[in-house]
Amino acid sequence: MADIILCKTSDIAPGSVIRVEHGELGLAVYNIDGTFYATADRCTHGLSSLSEGSLMGDEIECSMHFGTFDVKTGAPTGAPCSIPLRTFKVEVRGDDVVADI
Ligand code: FES
């Protein structure tokens, strides 16, 4: 486990998501009403990138088959997704979004 800087807080507008790469790991980083969250970017149902999906409140909808996950917990919330997403602890330090990877 190590803390890494994912991005600046200003890089993600409220209600949006971006992809951040750390080595071979791809993360989806979300801004939900000013609070930041990070999950694995790859949908557990297939090969789709969740950062290309639609963020609706606390849920991300995959653009491939429209399954959904709770961004805060990684729990699948809509078919066909049934396997939880990996989530990462995130905090803001100054204007950096930092995750424990
Ligand atoms: S690849 Fe994401 S719902 Fe199928």
Side-chain angles (χ1 to χ4, degrees), residues 3 10 30 61 70 80:
D3 288 349
S10 58
Y30 311 82
E61 181 185 70
D70 184 316

Side-chain angles (χ1 to χ4, degrees), residues 21-32:
E21 295 186 6
H22 177 69
E24 295 183 359
L25 183 63
L27 295 98
V29 187
Y30 311 82
N31 178 344
I32 299 176

